Amino acid sequence: MIKRFKPVDLEECLMGLPIENWIFVDETQFNNDAVGEMLRPKMMISHLEELKGITYDGIHKIRAFTRLNDIYASDLPESFKTVLKNSVDQGNKEFNTFGCYFINLKYDDFLMPYLVAADASFIIKGYMKERILDMKSYHLSSKKMNFRYNEIPFEIQLKHNEFTHLDYGKVSTVLDGKELLFSYFIGAVIENGYYIDYKMAIQLPSKRIIRSEKLEQTLIGCPIDLDEYFKNELRKLFHNYTGVHRIANYGAKDMEQIFEEVFWKIVCKFAERSHCDES
């Protein structure tokens, strides 16, 4: 018989974490054969009110197992809700809470770049301990997250408020006959034709997510109609990126070509769209 545990409250939930390598599930899904590895013990968490709710104290705080419908009906930034709606499978009941979406290693190509770009962090709790991770360090690889079997996701914190302009999608480049696909999120605050704020993160084919704060700072204060000076400054950053963020089986020259083409497509496409919106 498969072991199941329904804690009375969050304290009992945390005390029970070290006992087993639990799968956290919604109580209504316990008999669903599609949920997780069926031989592993299940902890029912959908009834715990301490794991639900949205608050704001200068930072948007979302408890990890808040229902998606509650998130969509909240006063959270519209950019976050837009990306979330286009990332999570709305018809998949397994991921009808924010936390289940992450804990089951199902993350989309747009949501994670958004969270990295928006300076999000994740609070993870265990029995008598708590850790805070920024989103860049949350995913160790495409199939491994930076939390242990005796921990549970507790809260997402969004430090960034709203963007006046945003874009997310995929771009590709072909090298040696092989297509490499990159997903991205880019958001900005634009006033009078100038970037007042600028955030961008890109997901590599390996699923690793990268972000250049130096590139963002270079673009803040720039006109959205980029001139040659700023284009040359961006090219310098592209070349500096190749030594740090390598893709397996590609050398330095290949990396220069890849990053310049990919970054250029994303930055220039966004600048052109923003310019049209402001015209």
Side-chain angles (χ1 to χ4, degrees), residues 24-60:
F24 303 105
V25 297
D26 188 314
E27 187 174 4
T28 61
Q29 299 162 347
F30 179 71
N31 293 318
N32 185 345
D33 291 342
V35 177
E37 301 170 44
M38 290 306 295
L39 297 180
R40 282 177 58 190
K42 310 292 191 298
M43 182 184 286
M44 313 297 148
I45 46 80
S46 59
H47 63 289
L48 296 178
E49 293 302 319
E50 300 100 320
L51 294 177
K52 305 172 188 176
I54 300 168
T55 58
Y56 179 76
D57 60 1
I59 297 176
H60 297 283

PDB file of all heavy atoms in Angstrom, residues 24-60:
ATOM      1  N   PHE A  24       4.660  15.817  -3.296  1.00  0.00           N
ATOM      2  CA  PHE A  24       3.600  16.694  -2.801  1.00  0.00           C
ATOM      3  C   PHE A  24       2.480  16.739  -3.831  1.00  0.00           C
ATOM      4  O   PHE A  24       2.713  17.060  -5.001  1.00  0.00           O
ATOM      5  CB  PHE A  24       4.137  18.106  -2.556  1.00  0.00           C
ATOM      6  CG  PHE A  24       5.285  18.128  -1.592  1.00  0.00           C
ATOM      7  CD1 PHE A  24       6.583  18.312  -2.039  1.00  0.00           C
ATOM      8  CD2 PHE A  24       5.072  17.949  -0.239  1.00  0.00           C
ATOM      9  CE1 PHE A  24       7.644  18.319  -1.162  1.00  0.00           C
ATOM     10  CE2 PHE A  24       6.129  17.948   0.655  1.00  0.00           C
ATOM     11  CZ  PHE A  24       7.419  18.134   0.196  1.00  0.00           C
ATOM     12  N   VAL A  25       1.257  16.420  -3.387  1.00  0.00           N
ATOM     13  CA  VAL A  25       0.143  16.349  -4.326  1.00  0.00           C
ATOM     14  C   VAL A  25      -1.095  16.995  -3.740  1.00  0.00           C
ATOM     15  O   VAL A  25      -1.230  17.166  -2.529  1.00  0.00           O
ATOM     16  CB  VAL A  25      -0.196  14.885  -4.708  1.00  0.00           C
ATOM     17  CG1 VAL A  25       0.949  14.229  -5.428  1.00  0.00           C
ATOM     18  CG2 VAL A  25      -0.587  14.074  -3.473  1.00  0.00           C
ATOM     19  N   ASP A  26      -1.990  17.342  -4.629  1.00  0.00           N
ATOM     20  CA  ASP A  26      -3.328  17.782  -4.255  1.00  0.00           C
ATOM     21  C   ASP A  26      -4.096  16.547  -3.789  1.00  0.00           C
ATOM     22  O   ASP A  26      -4.030  15.481  -4.398  1.00  0.00           O
ATOM     23  CB  ASP A  26      -4.004  18.401  -5.481  1.00  0.00           C
ATOM     24  CG  ASP A  26      -5.331  19.076  -5.148  1.00  0.00           C
ATOM     25  OD1 ASP A  26      -6.127  18.460  -4.422  1.00  0.00           O
ATOM     26  OD2 ASP A  26      -5.552  20.188  -5.635  1.00  0.00           O
ATOM     27  N   GLU A  27      -4.829  16.677  -2.698  1.00  0.00           N
ATOM     28  CA  GLU A  27      -5.537  15.531  -2.125  1.00  0.00           C
ATOM     29  C   GLU A  27      -6.490  14.884  -3.125  1.00  0.00           C
ATOM     30  O   GLU A  27      -6.674  13.668  -3.139  1.00  0.00           O
ATOM     31  CB  GLU A  27      -6.313  15.966  -0.886  1.00  0.00           C
ATOM     32  CG  GLU A  27      -6.951  14.809  -0.135  1.00  0.00           C
ATOM     33  CD  GLU A  27      -7.580  15.264   1.174  1.00  0.00           C
ATOM     34  OE1 GLU A  27      -7.580  16.487   1.440  1.00  0.00           O
ATOM     35  OE2 GLU A  27      -8.060  14.391   1.905  1.00  0.00           O
ATOM     36  N   THR A  28      -7.096  15.687  -3.989  1.00  0.00           N
ATOM     37  CA  THR A  28      -8.062  15.155  -4.956  1.00  0.00           C
ATOM     38  C   THR A  28      -7.395  14.300  -6.020  1.00  0.00           C
ATOM     39  O   THR A  28      -8.067  13.606  -6.774  1.00  0.00           O
ATOM     40  CB  THR A  28      -8.828  16.300  -5.639  1.00  0.00           C
ATOM     41  OG1 THR A  28      -7.888  17.134  -6.333  1.00  0.00           O
ATOM     42  CG2 THR A  28      -9.569  17.135  -4.608  1.00  0.00           C
ATOM     43  N   GLN A  29      -6.051  14.368  -6.108  1.00  0.00           N
ATOM     44  CA  GLN A  29      -5.336  13.641  -7.157  1.00  0.00           C
ATOM     45  C   GLN A  29      -4.680  12.360  -6.659  1.00  0.00           C
ATOM     46  O   GLN A  29      -3.969  11.701  -7.403  1.00  0.00           O
ATOM     47  CB  GLN A  29      -4.253  14.536  -7.760  1.00  0.00           C
ATOM     48  CG  GLN A  29      -4.812  15.786  -8.389  1.00  0.00           C
ATOM     49  CD  GLN A  29      -3.728  16.829  -8.581  1.00  0.00           C
ATOM     50  OE1 GLN A  29      -2.646  16.709  -8.046  1.00  0.00           O
ATOM     51  NE2 GLN A  29      -4.035  17.861  -9.337  1.00  0.00           N
ATOM     52  N   PHE A  30      -4.906  12.013  -5.404  1.00  0.00           N
ATOM     53  CA  PHE A  30      -4.193  10.866  -4.845  1.00  0.00           C
ATOM     54  C   PHE A  30      -4.424   9.588  -5.635  1.00  0.00           C
ATOM     55  O   PHE A  30      -3.537   8.763  -5.789  1.00  0.00           O
ATOM     56  CB  PHE A  30      -4.597  10.664  -3.384  1.00  0.00           C
ATOM     57  CG  PHE A  30      -3.904   9.482  -2.754  1.00  0.00           C
ATOM     58  CD1 PHE A  30      -2.554   9.541  -2.468  1.00  0.00           C
ATOM     59  CD2 PHE A  30      -4.594   8.315  -2.482  1.00  0.00           C
ATOM     60  CE1 PHE A  30      -1.895   8.455  -1.891  1.00  0.00           C
ATOM     61  CE2 PHE A  30      -3.948   7.217  -1.905  1.00  0.00           C
ATOM     62  CZ  PHE A  30      -2.600   7.294  -1.610  1.00  0.00           C
ATOM     63  N   ASN A  31      -5.611   9.392  -6.147  1.00  0.00           N
ATOM     64  CA  ASN A  31      -5.933   8.159  -6.880  1.00  0.00           C
ATOM     65  C   ASN A  31      -5.704   8.289  -8.386  1.00  0.00           C
ATOM     66  O   ASN A  31      -6.071   7.418  -9.158  1.00  0.00           O
ATOM     67  CB  ASN A  31      -7.387   7.757  -6.621  1.00  0.00           C
ATOM     68  CG  ASN A  31      -7.588   7.355  -5.169  1.00  0.00           C
ATOM     69  OD1 ASN A  31      -6.754   6.670  -4.610  1.00  0.00           O
ATOM     70  ND2 ASN A  31      -8.689   7.802  -4.569  1.00  0.00           N
ATOM     71  N   ASN A  32      -5.106   9.406  -8.793  1.00  0.00           N
ATOM     72  CA  ASN A  32      -4.852   9.631 -10.215  1.00  0.00           C
ATOM     73  C   ASN A  32      -3.536   8.966 -10.607  1.00  0.00           C
ATOM     74  O   ASN A  32      -2.477   9.333 -10.120  1.00  0.00           O
ATOM     75  CB  ASN A  32      -4.793  11.145 -10.483  1.00  0.00           C
ATOM     76  CG  ASN A  32      -4.642  11.454 -11.953  1.00  0.00           C
ATOM     77  OD1 ASN A  32      -4.309  10.600 -12.756  1.00  0.00           O
ATOM     78  ND2 ASN A  32      -4.882  12.704 -12.307  1.00  0.00           N
ATOM     79  N   ASP A  33      -3.582   7.967 -11.479  1.00  0.00           N
ATOM     80  CA  ASP A  33      -2.380   7.223 -11.856  1.00  0.00           C
ATOM     81  C   ASP A  33      -1.348   8.088 -12.560  1.00  0.00           C
ATOM     82  O   ASP A  33      -0.193   7.691 -12.678  1.00  0.00           O
ATOM     83  CB  ASP A  33      -2.750   6.047 -12.770  1.00  0.00           C
ATOM     84  CG  ASP A  33      -3.509   4.977 -12.018  1.00  0.00           C
ATOM     85  OD1 ASP A  33      -3.439   4.988 -10.771  1.00  0.00           O
ATOM     86  OD2 ASP A  33      -4.178   4.152 -12.677  1.00  0.00           O
ATOM     87  N   ALA A  34      -1.755   9.264 -13.031  1.00  0.00           N
ATOM     88  CA  ALA A  34      -0.829  10.124 -13.768  1.00  0.00           C
ATOM     89  C   ALA A  34       0.027  10.977 -12.857  1.00  0.00           C
ATOM     90  O   ALA A  34       0.921  11.668 -13.314  1.00  0.00           O
ATOM     91  CB  ALA A  34      -1.611  11.041 -14.708  1.00  0.00           C
ATOM     92  N   VAL A  35      -0.225  10.948 -11.558  1.00  0.00           N
ATOM     93  CA  VAL A  35       0.488  11.824 -10.640  1.00  0.00           C
ATOM     94  C   VAL A  35       1.768  11.173 -10.140  1.00  0.00           C
ATOM     95  O   VAL A  35       1.732  10.208  -9.387  1.00  0.00           O
ATOM     96  CB  VAL A  35      -0.384  12.204  -9.420  1.00  0.00           C
ATOM     97  CG1 VAL A  35       0.406  13.061  -8.453  1.00  0.00           C
ATOM     98  CG2 VAL A  35      -1.614  12.955  -9.884  1.00  0.00           C
ATOM     99  N   GLY A  36       2.901  11.706 -10.568  1.00  0.00           N
ATOM    100  CA  GLY A  36       4.195  11.336 -10.011  1.00  0.00           C
ATOM    101  C   GLY A  36       4.555   9.869 -10.135  1.00  0.00           C
ATOM    102  O   GLY A  36       3.979   9.099 -10.887  1.00  0.00           O
ATOM    103  N   GLU A  37       5.578   9.472  -9.378  1.00  0.00           N
ATOM    104  CA  GLU A  37       6.004   8.083  -9.325  1.00  0.00           C
ATOM    105  C   GLU A  37       5.106   7.369  -8.325  1.00  0.00           C
ATOM    106  O   GLU A  37       5.170   7.623  -7.134  1.00  0.00           O
ATOM    107  CB  GLU A  37       7.463   8.013  -8.897  1.00  0.00           C
ATOM    108  CG  GLU A  37       8.398   8.769  -9.825  1.00  0.00           C
ATOM    109  CD  GLU A  37       9.785   8.875  -9.221  1.00  0.00           C
ATOM    110  OE1 GLU A  37      10.275   7.858  -8.694  1.00  0.00           O
ATOM    111  OE2 GLU A  37      10.345   9.958  -9.254  1.00  0.00           O
ATOM    112  N   MET A  38       4.320   6.440  -8.801  1.00  0.00           N
ATOM    113  CA  MET A  38       3.249   5.874  -7.987  1.00  0.00           C
ATOM    114  C   MET A  38       3.734   5.115  -6.759  1.00  0.00           C
ATOM    115  O   MET A  38       3.006   4.934  -5.792  1.00  0.00           O
ATOM    116  CB  MET A  38       2.362   4.974  -8.835  1.00  0.00           C
ATOM    117  CG  MET A  38       1.511   5.752  -9.839  1.00  0.00           C
ATOM    118  SD  MET A  38       0.542   7.054  -9.064  1.00  0.00           S
ATOM    119  CE  MET A  38      -0.556   6.095  -8.033  1.00  0.00           C
ATOM    120  N   LEU A  39       4.974   4.653  -6.743  1.00  0.00           N
ATOM    121  CA  LEU A  39       5.474   3.894  -5.608  1.00  0.00           C
ATOM    122  C   LEU A  39       6.026   4.775  -4.496  1.00  0.00           C
ATOM    123  O   LEU A  39       6.293   4.285  -3.399  1.00  0.00           O
ATOM    124  CB  LEU A  39       6.559   2.907  -6.073  1.00  0.00           C
ATOM    125  CG  LEU A  39       6.086   1.835  -7.060  1.00  0.00           C
ATOM    126  CD1 LEU A  39       7.249   0.921  -7.432  1.00  0.00           C
ATOM    127  CD2 LEU A  39       4.949   1.011  -6.453  1.00  0.00           C
ATOM    128  N   ARG A  40       6.205   6.044  -4.759  1.00  0.00           N
ATOM    129  CA  ARG A  40       6.723   6.940  -3.730  1.00  0.00           C
ATOM    130  C   ARG A  40       5.601   7.418  -2.813  1.00  0.00           C
ATOM    131  O   ARG A  40       4.456   7.572  -3.248  1.00  0.00           O
ATOM    132  CB  ARG A  40       7.414   8.143  -4.366  1.00  0.00           C
ATOM    133  CG  ARG A  40       8.809   7.840  -4.885  1.00  0.00           C
ATOM    134  CD  ARG A  40       9.415   9.037  -5.574  1.00  0.00           C
ATOM    135  NE  ARG A  40       9.474  10.193  -4.690  1.00  0.00           N
ATOM    136  CZ  ARG A  40       9.794  11.419  -5.121  1.00  0.00           C
ATOM    137  NH1 ARG A  40      10.047  11.634  -6.404  1.00  0.00           N
ATOM    138  NH2 ARG A  40       9.848  12.424  -4.277  1.00  0.00           N
ATOM    139  N   PRO A  41       5.898   7.682  -1.539  1.00  0.00           N
ATOM    140  CA  PRO A  41       4.875   8.159  -0.598  1.00  0.00           C
ATOM    141  C   PRO A  41       4.397   9.554  -0.970  1.00  0.00           C
ATOM    142  O   PRO A  41       5.148  10.360  -1.535  1.00  0.00           O
ATOM    143  CB  PRO A  41       5.597   8.156   0.748  1.00  0.00           C
ATOM    144  CG  PRO A  41       7.049   8.248   0.403  1.00  0.00           C
ATOM    145  CD  PRO A  41       7.208   7.513  -0.892  1.00  0.00           C
ATOM    146  N   LYS A  42       3.132   9.834  -0.651  1.00  0.00           N
ATOM    147  CA  LYS A  42       2.505  11.106  -1.018  1.00  0.00           C
ATOM    148  C   LYS A  42       2.184  11.929   0.231  1.00  0.00           C
ATOM    149  O   LYS A  42       1.684  11.397   1.219  1.00  0.00           O
ATOM    150  CB  LYS A  42       1.203  10.862  -1.790  1.00  0.00           C
ATOM    151  CG  LYS A  42       1.301   9.884  -2.947  1.00  0.00           C
ATOM    152  CD  LYS A  42       2.149  10.421  -4.083  1.00  0.00           C
ATOM    153  CE  LYS A  42       2.023   9.557  -5.334  1.00  0.00           C
ATOM    154  NZ  LYS A  42       2.479   8.184  -5.164  1.00  0.00           N
ATOM    155  N   MET A  43       2.495  13.216   0.170  1.00  0.00           N
ATOM    156  CA  MET A  43       2.077  14.134   1.225  1.00  0.00           C
ATOM    157  C   MET A  43       0.998  15.051   0.659  1.00  0.00           C
ATOM    158  O   MET A  43       1.202  15.714  -0.361  1.00  0.00           O
ATOM    159  CB  MET A  43       3.238  14.980   1.757  1.00  0.00           C
ATOM    160  CG  MET A  43       2.815  15.905   2.903  1.00  0.00           C
ATOM    161  SD  MET A  43       4.099  17.018   3.514  1.00  0.00           S
ATOM    162  CE  MET A  43       5.129  15.864   4.415  1.00  0.00           C
ATOM    163  N   MET A  44      -0.170  15.087   1.301  1.00  0.00           N
ATOM    164  CA  MET A  44      -1.275  15.925   0.870  1.00  0.00           C
ATOM    165  C   MET A  44      -1.074  17.337   1.411  1.00  0.00           C
ATOM    166  O   MET A  44      -0.939  17.526   2.629  1.00  0.00           O
ATOM    167  CB  MET A  44      -2.603  15.384   1.398  1.00  0.00           C
ATOM    168  CG  MET A  44      -2.790  13.888   1.191  1.00  0.00           C
ATOM    169  SD  MET A  44      -2.820  13.437  -0.539  1.00  0.00           S
ATOM    170  CE  MET A  44      -2.079  11.810  -0.480  1.00  0.00           C
ATOM    171  N   ILE A  45      -1.030  18.319   0.536  1.00  0.00           N
ATOM    172  CA  ILE A  45      -0.735  19.688   0.995  1.00  0.00           C
ATOM    173  C   ILE A  45      -1.791  20.710   0.546  1.00  0.00           C
ATOM    174  O   ILE A  45      -1.711  21.881   0.900  1.00  0.00           O
ATOM    175  CB  ILE A  45       0.662  20.149   0.512  1.00  0.00           C
ATOM    176  CG1 ILE A  45       0.887  19.828  -0.988  1.00  0.00           C
ATOM    177  CG2 ILE A  45       1.763  19.485   1.329  1.00  0.00           C
ATOM    178  CD1 ILE A  45       0.285  20.759  -1.936  1.00  0.00           C
ATOM    179  N   SER A  46      -2.775  20.269  -0.240  1.00  0.00           N
ATOM    180  CA  SER A  46      -3.712  21.234  -0.835  1.00  0.00           C
ATOM    181  C   SER A  46      -4.590  21.921   0.199  1.00  0.00           C
ATOM    182  O   SER A  46      -5.153  22.982  -0.072  1.00  0.00           O
ATOM    183  CB  SER A  46      -4.588  20.546  -1.886  1.00  0.00           C
ATOM    184  OG  SER A  46      -5.317  19.477  -1.305  1.00  0.00           O
ATOM    185  N   HIS A  47      -4.740  21.328   1.394  1.00  0.00           N
ATOM    186  CA  HIS A  47      -5.609  21.899   2.427  1.00  0.00           C
ATOM    187  C   HIS A  47      -4.885  22.886   3.336  1.00  0.00           C
ATOM    188  O   HIS A  47      -5.514  23.546   4.161  1.00  0.00           O
ATOM    189  CB  HIS A  47      -6.177  20.771   3.288  1.00  0.00           C
ATOM    190  CG  HIS A  47      -5.124  20.011   4.040  1.00  0.00           C
ATOM    191  ND1 HIS A  47      -4.239  19.169   3.403  1.00  0.00           N
ATOM    192  CD2 HIS A  47      -4.788  20.002   5.358  1.00  0.00           C
ATOM    193  CE1 HIS A  47      -3.405  18.657   4.296  1.00  0.00           C
ATOM    194  NE2 HIS A  47      -3.718  19.155   5.485  1.00  0.00           N
ATOM    195  N   LEU A  48      -3.565  23.011   3.228  1.00  0.00           N
ATOM    196  CA  LEU A  48      -2.787  23.843   4.150  1.00  0.00           C
ATOM    197  C   LEU A  48      -2.876  25.313   3.749  1.00  0.00           C
ATOM    198  O   LEU A  48      -2.273  25.745   2.761  1.00  0.00           O
ATOM    199  CB  LEU A  48      -1.328  23.382   4.169  1.00  0.00           C
ATOM    200  CG  LEU A  48      -1.071  21.963   4.691  1.00  0.00           C
ATOM    201  CD1 LEU A  48       0.401  21.624   4.607  1.00  0.00           C
ATOM    202  CD2 LEU A  48      -1.588  21.821   6.110  1.00  0.00           C
ATOM    203  N   GLU A  49      -3.623  26.089   4.525  1.00  0.00           N
ATOM    204  CA  GLU A  49      -3.813  27.502   4.205  1.00  0.00           C
ATOM    205  C   GLU A  49      -2.518  28.302   4.327  1.00  0.00           C
ATOM    206  O   GLU A  49      -2.365  29.339   3.686  1.00  0.00           O
ATOM    207  CB  GLU A  49      -4.888  28.110   5.124  1.00  0.00           C
ATOM    208  CG  GLU A  49      -6.286  27.555   4.895  1.00  0.00           C
ATOM    209  CD  GLU A  49      -6.766  27.752   3.458  1.00  0.00           C
ATOM    210  OE1 GLU A  49      -6.513  28.841   2.902  1.00  0.00           O
ATOM    211  OE2 GLU A  49      -7.382  26.820   2.907  1.00  0.00           O
ATOM    212  N   GLU A  50      -1.566  27.825   5.153  1.00  0.00           N
ATOM    213  CA  GLU A  50      -0.289  28.544   5.308  1.00  0.00           C
ATOM    214  C   GLU A  50       0.520  28.549   4.020  1.00  0.00           C
ATOM    215  O   GLU A  50       1.444  29.367   3.864  1.00  0.00           O
ATOM    216  CB  GLU A  50       0.555  27.911   6.420  1.00  0.00           C
ATOM    217  CG  GLU A  50      -0.098  27.913   7.782  1.00  0.00           C
ATOM    218  CD  GLU A  50      -0.714  26.568   8.108  1.00  0.00           C
ATOM    219  OE1 GLU A  50      -1.322  25.942   7.195  1.00  0.00           O
ATOM    220  OE2 GLU A  50      -0.579  26.134   9.261  1.00  0.00           O
ATOM    221  N   LEU A  51       0.185  27.633   3.099  1.00  0.00           N
ATOM    222  CA  LEU A  51       0.915  27.554   1.835  1.00  0.00           C
ATOM    223  C   LEU A  51       0.199  28.289   0.703  1.00  0.00           C
ATOM    224  O   LEU A  51       0.581  28.167  -0.453  1.00  0.00           O
ATOM    225  CB  LEU A  51       1.106  26.087   1.440  1.00  0.00           C
ATOM    226  CG  LEU A  51       1.998  25.260   2.366  1.00  0.00           C
ATOM    227  CD1 LEU A  51       2.044  23.816   1.907  1.00  0.00           C
ATOM    228  CD2 LEU A  51       3.407  25.838   2.426  1.00  0.00           C
ATOM    229  N   LYS A  52      -0.831  29.066   1.055  1.00  0.00           N
ATOM    230  CA  LYS A  52      -1.596  29.787   0.046  1.00  0.00           C
ATOM    231  C   LYS A  52      -1.665  31.263   0.415  1.00  0.00           C
ATOM    232  O   LYS A  52      -1.571  31.636   1.587  1.00  0.00           O
ATOM    233  CB  LYS A  52      -3.023  29.234  -0.050  1.00  0.00           C
ATOM    234  CG  LYS A  52      -3.118  27.743  -0.308  1.00  0.00           C
ATOM    235  CD  LYS A  52      -4.557  27.272  -0.197  1.00  0.00           C
ATOM    236  CE  LYS A  52      -4.665  25.766  -0.255  1.00  0.00           C
ATOM    237  NZ  LYS A  52      -6.052  25.297  -0.058  1.00  0.00           N
ATOM    238  N   GLY A  53      -1.862  32.108  -0.597  1.00  0.00           N
ATOM    239  CA  GLY A  53      -2.089  33.520  -0.337  1.00  0.00           C
ATOM    240  C   GLY A  53      -1.107  34.431  -1.055  1.00  0.00           C
ATOM    241  O   GLY A  53      -0.019  34.007  -1.479  1.00  0.00           O
ATOM    242  N   ILE A  54      -1.518  35.685  -1.235  1.00  0.00           N
ATOM    243  CA  ILE A  54      -0.715  36.704  -1.920  1.00  0.00           C
ATOM    244  C   ILE A  54      -0.689  37.955  -1.055  1.00  0.00           C
ATOM    245  O   ILE A  54      -1.732  38.422  -0.596  1.00  0.00           O
ATOM    246  CB  ILE A  54      -1.315  37.042  -3.298  1.00  0.00           C
ATOM    247  CG1 ILE A  54      -1.367  35.783  -4.174  1.00  0.00           C
ATOM    248  CG2 ILE A  54      -0.523  38.145  -3.987  1.00  0.00           C
ATOM    249  CD1 ILE A  54      -2.194  35.943  -5.427  1.00  0.00           C
ATOM    250  N   THR A  55       0.498  38.495  -0.801  1.00  0.00           N
ATOM    251  CA  THR A  55       0.633  39.728  -0.013  1.00  0.00           C
ATOM    252  C   THR A  55       1.595  40.682  -0.718  1.00  0.00           C
ATOM    253  O   THR A  55       2.328  40.284  -1.641  1.00  0.00           O
ATOM    254  CB  THR A  55       1.151  39.437   1.404  1.00  0.00           C
ATOM    255  OG1 THR A  55       2.430  38.768   1.308  1.00  0.00           O
ATOM    256  CG2 THR A  55       0.172  38.558   2.171  1.00  0.00           C
ATOM    257  N   TYR A  56       1.592  41.939  -0.261  1.00  0.00           N
ATOM    258  CA  TYR A  56       2.490  42.944  -0.839  1.00  0.00           C
ATOM    259  C   TYR A  56       2.941  43.899   0.255  1.00  0.00           C
ATOM    260  O   TYR A  56       2.120  44.496   0.956  1.00  0.00           O
ATOM    261  CB  TYR A  56       1.781  43.724  -1.950  1.00  0.00           C
ATOM    262  CG  TYR A  56       2.650  44.801  -2.565  1.00  0.00           C
ATOM    263  CD1 TYR A  56       3.669  44.462  -3.454  1.00  0.00           C
ATOM    264  CD2 TYR A  56       2.468  46.153  -2.249  1.00  0.00           C
ATOM    265  CE1 TYR A  56       4.482  45.440  -4.017  1.00  0.00           C
ATOM    266  CE2 TYR A  56       3.271  47.127  -2.812  1.00  0.00           C
ATOM    267  CZ  TYR A  56       4.275  46.777  -3.698  1.00  0.00           C
ATOM    268  OH  TYR A  56       5.071  47.739  -4.243  1.00  0.00           O
ATOM    269  N   ASP A  57       4.246  44.037   0.429  1.00  0.00           N
ATOM    270  CA  ASP A  57       4.815  44.983   1.384  1.00  0.00           C
ATOM    271  C   ASP A  57       5.996  45.728   0.760  1.00  0.00           C
ATOM    272  O   ASP A  57       7.001  45.977   1.396  1.00  0.00           O
ATOM    273  CB  ASP A  57       5.242  44.275   2.668  1.00  0.00           C
ATOM    274  CG  ASP A  57       6.299  43.191   2.407  1.00  0.00           C
ATOM    275  OD1 ASP A  57       6.703  43.016   1.230  1.00  0.00           O
ATOM    276  OD2 ASP A  57       6.721  42.521   3.373  1.00  0.00           O
ATOM    277  N   GLY A  58       5.824  46.081  -0.516  1.00  0.00           N
ATOM    278  CA  GLY A  58       6.926  46.612  -1.316  1.00  0.00           C
ATOM    279  C   GLY A  58       7.502  45.539  -2.215  1.00  0.00           C
ATOM    280  O   GLY A  58       8.168  45.825  -3.211  1.00  0.00           O
ATOM    281  N   ILE A  59       7.258  44.282  -1.862  1.00  0.00           N
ATOM    282  CA  ILE A  59       7.622  43.108  -2.656  1.00  0.00           C
ATOM    283  C   ILE A  59       6.380  42.234  -2.784  1.00  0.00           C
ATOM    284  O   ILE A  59       5.664  42.017  -1.804  1.00  0.00           O
ATOM    285  CB  ILE A  59       8.755  42.301  -1.992  1.00  0.00           C
ATOM    286  CG1 ILE A  59      10.029  43.144  -1.911  1.00  0.00           C
ATOM    287  CG2 ILE A  59       9.024  41.012  -2.755  1.00  0.00           C
ATOM    288  CD1 ILE A  59      11.163  42.448  -1.177  1.00  0.00           C
ATOM    289  N   HIS A  60       6.106  41.752  -3.989  1.00  0.00           N
ATOM    290  CA  HIS A  60       4.986  40.837  -4.185  1.00  0.00           C
ATOM    291  C   HIS A  60       5.388  39.457  -3.676  1.00  0.00           C
ATOM    292  O   HIS A  60       6.418  38.905  -4.087  1.00  0.00           O
ATOM    293  CB  HIS A  60       4.614  40.751  -5.663  1.00  0.00           C
ATOM    294  CG  HIS A  60       4.140  42.039  -6.237  1.00  0.00           C
ATOM    295  ND1 HIS A  60       2.876  42.536  -6.016  1.00  0.00           N
ATOM    296  CD2 HIS A  60       4.772  42.946  -7.035  1.00  0.00           C
ATOM    297  CE1 HIS A  60       2.733  43.687  -6.652  1.00  0.00           C
ATOM    298  NE2 HIS A  60       3.859  43.958  -7.273  1.00  0.00           N
TER     299      HIS A  60
END
